[in-house]
Amino acid sequence: MRLSHFWTLMDDVFGPAYAGTLARDHVLGALDDRTPAQAIEAGVPPREVWAALCDDLDVPEARRLGRDVRPAPGAPGGHEGRR
């Protein structure tokens, strides 16, 4: 997982404002009592940080991959109106 994907998931699951707060302030025992930001800075892979955060906050498996983004009707890749 790339760091950019980690931040996309953080925003999708927790919202942009709360994601930053969690990353800075939420201490995770599974990451040697570091915050997600500290763990990433120390070289812990983003995937491992994401998994630890999801486990600690009981994020359901179905939400751990982020939002299910579907194209709007009429948008490229979307479904055209059926008649």
Side-chain angles (χ1 to χ4, degrees):
M1 169 187 293
R2 293 177 187 231
L3 186 57
S4 60
H5 188 219
F6 169 83
W7 285 111
T8 297
L9 289 172
M10 289 286 288
D11 288 349
D12 284 355
V13 174
F14 302 111
Y18 190 49
T21 299
L22 280 175
R24 286 187 313 273
D25 299 335
H26 190 80
V27 176
L28 296 162
L31 298 176
D32 298 325
D33 294 323
R34 293 182 283 200
T35 66
Q38 290 169 332
I40 287 171
E41 189 173 309
V44 177
R47 181 181 305 277
E48 188 176 324
V49 175
W50 177 246
L53 187 61
C54 287
D55 289 345
D56 195 62
L57 296 175
D58 295 322
V59 174
E61 288 292 328
R63 294 202 52 220
R64 291 183 183 208
L65 298 177
R67 290 185 297 143
D68 183 13
V69 179
R70 296 180 184 167
H79 298 287
E80 295 299 323
R82 295 184 183 168
R83 296 178 194 236

